[in-house]
């Protein structure tokens, strides 16, 4: 009986929030501050992996940690206000709660900044766990007994599968539907507006 209450995990960037405007602005500011060229428009087409995996395209390996620290320091004043919620994000969290479940956020984003985004947008999950990418996300999903993980990237699919959770993918990020299905997503939705109906159908089937 203890496992009957469903916990649903959500990714953050391009799943619950459209972080492209804020991240683009932050990369542009980092470029100006360091005098290093960064194609911010290109960078925001491949969101999902950890920050260091993008910075390595623009800075020498020995400077990645310093640049990551600088980026994260600049981020709150530049990126938070510029970042809107994805369409259907609030309703998706509400649907989990209305079903008697718990909603958690598991993201590769630096955890303090992830929490700032959610607070700014008035989205209040039951827990926020940051700094985890792909299969690493399984650690938090298992710890919180999540039966479903919702994300936009093939890395999110891999994290769900590693945790033994149902992978629900939304085609709102850099990975198209075909790529998400090929990675092993159990369900692919166009966006989060389809999630409440899916969850409503899933619960009777699960019961």
């Amino acid at each position: 009986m203890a496992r009957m209450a469903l916990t649903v995990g959500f990714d953050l960037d391009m799943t619950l929030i459209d972080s492209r405007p804020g991240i683009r602005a932050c990369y542009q500011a980092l470029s100006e501050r360091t005098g290093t060229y960064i194609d911010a428009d290109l960078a925001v087409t491949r969101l999902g992996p950890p920050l260091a995996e993008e910075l390595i395209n623009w800075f020498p390996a020995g400077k990645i940690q310093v640049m990551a620290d600088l980026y994260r320091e600049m981020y709150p004043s530049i990126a938070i206000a510029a970042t809107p919620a994805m369409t259907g994000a609030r309703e998706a969290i509400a649907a989990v709660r209305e079903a008697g479940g718990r909603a958690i956020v598991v993201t590769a984003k630096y955890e303090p900044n992830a929490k700032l985004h959610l607070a700014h947008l008035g989205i209040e999950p039951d827990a926020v766990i940051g700094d985890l990418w792909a299969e690493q996300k399984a650690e938090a999903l298992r710890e919180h007994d999540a039966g479903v993980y919702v994300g936009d990237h093939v890395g999110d699919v891999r994290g769900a599968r590693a945790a033994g959770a149902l992978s629900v993918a939304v085609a709102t990020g850099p990975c198209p539907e075909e790529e998400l299905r090929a990675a092993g997503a159990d369900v692919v939705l166009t966006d989060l507006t389809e999630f409440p109906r899916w969850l409503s159908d899933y619960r009777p089937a699960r019961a």
Side-chain angles (χ1 to χ4, degrees):
M1 293 297 293
R3 293 182 61 88
M4 289 302 290
L6 178 65
T7 295
V8 178
F10 291 88
D11 176 50
L12 186 63
D13 287 0
M14 303 311 299
T15 299
L16 290 175
I17 65 172
D18 184 352
S19 51
R20 291 172 297 184
I23 289 177
R24 181 187 291 110
C26 203
Y27 277 131
Q28 290 171 337
L30 183 64
S31 177
E32 291 172 7
R33 183 148 169 186
T34 61
T36 300
Y37 173 72
I38 299 173
D39 188 338
D41 290 320
L42 175 60
V44 297
T45 67
R46 48 195 186 199
L47 300 180
L51 174 62
E53 292 191 22
E54 182 60 43
L55 293 177
I56 197 66
N57 295 305
W58 314 108
F59 296 96
K63 291 188 175 181
I64 297 304
Q65 187 59 57
V66 172
M67 291 299 105
D69 290 343
L70 177 57
Y71 174 96
R72 289 169 176 153
E73 177 186 323
M74 299 166 64
Y75 192 95
S77 63
I78 296 171
I80 302 300
T83 299
M86 294 293 283
T87 302
R90 294 181 178 87
E91 292 81 359
I93 299 290
V96 175
R97 297 261 172 74
E98 289 165 7
R102 299 176 69 250
I104 66 172
V105 171
V106 183
T107 175
K109 189 178 287 296
Y110 180 55
E111 187 173 303
N113 288 340
K115 290 178 176 178
L116 287 175
H117 274 299
L118 293 163
H120 176 75
L121 294 169
I123 298 174
E124 299 180 354
D126 294 285
V128 179
I129 306 95
D131 304 292
L132 297 176
W133 163 240
E135 288 83 358
Q136 295 173 340
K137 294 187 174 188
E139 303 168 17
L141 295 173
R142 286 193 297 262
E143 180 182 347
H144 289 269
D145 197 21
V148 176
Y149 185 58
V150 184
D152 66 281
H153 198 283
V154 293
D156 300 322
V157 177
R158 285 156 41 201
R161 293 178 67 84
L166 192 80
S167 172
V168 176
V170 285
T172 50
C175 302
E177 178 179 347
E178 299 75 15
E179 189 175 350
L180 294 165
R181 290 193 187 280
D186 297 295
V187 178
V188 180
L189 306 176
T190 302
D191 58 35
L192 283 179
T193 64
E194 298 177 0
F195 179 80
R197 179 177 292 236
W198 173 82
L199 182 64
S200 178
D201 292 339
Y202 170 69
R203 288 181 63 245
R206 179 173 177 264

